[in-house]
Amino acid sequence: MFENMVTARHYEERLQEEYLEGKQPAFDISAGPIPGELHLAAGHEASVGVVQHLRRDDTVTGPHRPHHIAIAKGVDLKRMTAEIFGRETGLCRGKGGHMHLFDDAVNFACSGIIAQGCPPAVGAALAAKKRNSDSVAVAFIGEGAIDQGGFLESLNLAAVHELPVVFVIEDNDWAISMPKERVTDVKNGADRAKGFDMPGVRVDYDDAVAVYEAAEGAVERARQGNGPSLLEVQVHRRMGHFMGDAEAYRPDEDIERAKRLDAIERLEDDLRAAGVDTGHITEIRERAHKRVEDAIEWAKDQPEPDPETAFEDVFTNPPPTSGTLGTQMTVEGGDD
Ligand SMILES: Cc1ncc(C[n+]2csc(CCOP(=O)(O)OP(=O)(O)O)c2C)c(N)n1
Ligand SMILES: [Mg+2]
């Protein structure tokens, strides 16, 4: 668990550096080796405590801030990095980017659409049940998604059919610039479970071991065929909503608090207190750093996709004259 958390943090710190390359001074979002938006999950690492209970055949769906969850689920780090860098050998041939990682080797997917991981997780759980397998599905969402129809309808369907799903809310107090209390009167997101007659547990502080322990019962309940659960974990957003977010809306003390409450440092202290020596901790950190550097180096070396393949594997009308990129596409039903 510690290695996954350290890998995720170092990975994101390195992505941050790569992302900023070439984007200054006017912040050109399309410039540099990582074009487009980038949402980092630094401060969310305690959530990996849930994933530690999972097997390869279990399904995980992540949100738009997916890296720590993907790493813990065992997504291929090299191909994930190539995807983020928009390269041909990426998980989605460089077309999905960092919010749309898909690795069927370990049953992992994520989406940039809020709460949209919930319905596919319910589908995976239904498939597991119909196949009489004991695999489970876990859907991660942010606290900003707890009023979304996709989430609420998924809870209902999972409860009615007693499906092996665990819904996990990562509560970082913010949805972009919107504080939680301005959009919902529910203080404890796990209370949403009551409306669906399923267990709901909230881990109030950002602690990976506490998350691990809270998730154990929920995953076990799903695996034994006893139905879904809801878990909320308090995490902290150490960075802006996306890279380039100046966070003018956020009080300084909230940013400082997020940086002070570091679940990785806390776990390291716990490991030391439990007798793990410094040499072992350093070895874990070095292994994680090397893995990250190898993945980034490999990804940057990969070819860019051939523009001729732009219309392959996507749901869209074909261009009016095949093979002519840059031609205006016709989209049925309007000009949006
Ligand atoms: C259905 C939908 N509505 C709006 C958006 C725009 N959007 C992107 S991230 C975000 C806020 C998400 O907040 P939260 O769920 O708390 O996740 P966090 O970013 O805090 O991790 C919104 C509204 C979207 N991607 N999908
Ligand atoms: Mg949030």
Side-chain angles (χ1 to χ4, degrees):
M1 185 157 70
F2 180 67
E3 185 157 347
N4 279 331
M5 292 168 76
V6 166
T7 305
R9 177 68 61 84
H10 186 61
Y11 187 65
E12 295 212 322
E13 284 169 353
R14 286 290 291 110
L15 285 188
Q16 188 178 27
E17 284 170 16
E18 296 288 339
Y19 184 81
L20 289 175
E21 208 185 301
K23 288 206 171 46
Q24 309 294 356
F27 197 70
D28 176 356
I29 201 163
S30 64
I34 305 177
E37 284 189 350
L38 184 66
H39 308 80
L40 298 177
H44 283 215
E45 291 90 351
S47 307
V48 310
V50 179
V51 187
Q52 297 301 132
H53 293 287
L54 304 181
R55 307 187 308 229
R56 177 180 277 256
D57 60 305
D58 295 329
T59 295
V60 170
T61 62
H64 55 289
R65 212 179 284 292
H67 308 138
H68 57 313
I69 304 165
I71 286 170
K73 185 63 174 87
V75 170
D76 186 316
L77 196 63
K78 287 187 170 162
R79 294 191 59 216
M80 167 169 153
T81 312
E83 185 58 40
I84 294 170
F85 281 75
R87 305 302 167 110
E88 169 66 31
T89 49
L91 289 169
C92 297
R93 299 182 66 191
K95 290 176 186 167
H98 99 104
M99 284 187 275
H100 303 107
L101 308 169
F102 182 82
D103 190 353
D104 56 355
V106 294
N107 293 338
F108 178 87
C110 54
S111 170
I113 306 299
I114 300 309
Q116 208 43 60
C118 297
V122 170
L126 179 62
K129 186 168 178 173
K130 292 223 173 256
R131 289 175 181 142
N132 287 323
S133 107
D134 69 345
S135 60
V136 305
V138 178
F140 284 86
I141 58 162
E143 91 296 333
I146 66 165
D147 298 303
Q148 280 280 355
F151 169 62
L152 297 167
E153 291 174 32
S154 294
L155 285 176
N156 187 57
L157 209 58
V160 164
H161 293 283
E162 292 189 317
L163 299 178
V165 201
V166 181
F167 299 94
V168 183
I169 303 165
E170 292 184 289
D171 177 8
N172 64 5
D173 302 317
W174 294 93
I176 313 183
S177 53
M178 190 59 76
K180 182 170 65 169
E181 61 275 12
R182 280 190 58 198
V183 286
T184 187
D185 279 344
V186 176
K187 288 196 175 58
N188 176 351
D191 282 348
R192 280 269 184 267
K194 292 180 189 163
F196 304 92
D197 196 21
M198 67 172 77
V201 174
R202 175 176 156 86
V203 178
D204 236 347
Y205 50 102
D206 192 338
D207 180 298
V209 175
V211 172
Y212 178 86
E213 285 170 353
E216 190 158 25
V219 172
E220 209 40 43
R221 175 178 148 86
R223 217 179 277 299
Q224 312 226 322
N226 296 323
S229 308
L230 177 61
L231 182 67
E232 179 169 71
V233 299
Q234 179 72 60
V235 293
H236 295 92
R237 203 180 79 191
R238 294 173 72 87
M239 300 179 177
H241 171 70
F242 55 85
M243 286 291 301
D245 174 7
E247 294 192 283
Y249 52 84
R250 193 173 175 192
D252 287 347
E253 54 274 21
D254 191 59
I255 299 176
E256 282 152 21
R257 190 167 155 270
K259 296 205 166 136
R260 205 170 55 241
L261 297 170
D262 187 347
I264 299 181
E265 275 175 24
R266 184 181 300 182
L267 184 56
E268 183 170 331
D269 289 346
D270 288 350
L271 290 172
R272 285 179 199 280
V276 179
D277 64 47
T278 303
H280 194 178
I281 287 172
T282 309
E283 191 190 307
I284 290 171
R285 283 192 180 276
E286 284 175 0
R287 194 164 54 225
H289 284 215
K290 181 168 184 330
R291 201 172 146 225
V292 167
E293 296 310 325
D294 286 352
I296 290 177
E297 199 179 316
W298 184 83
K300 286 169 86 172
D301 228 26
Q302 298 302 299
E304 305 229 328
D306 180 349
E308 291 294 321
T309 66
F311 294 102
E312 290 174 12
D313 307 322
V314 292
F315 292 97
T316 182
N317 291 343
T321 321
S322 64
T324 50
L325 292 175
T327 312
Q328 188 68 40
M329 285 167 49
T330 51
V331 180
E332 276 171 40
D335 58 1
D336 186 356

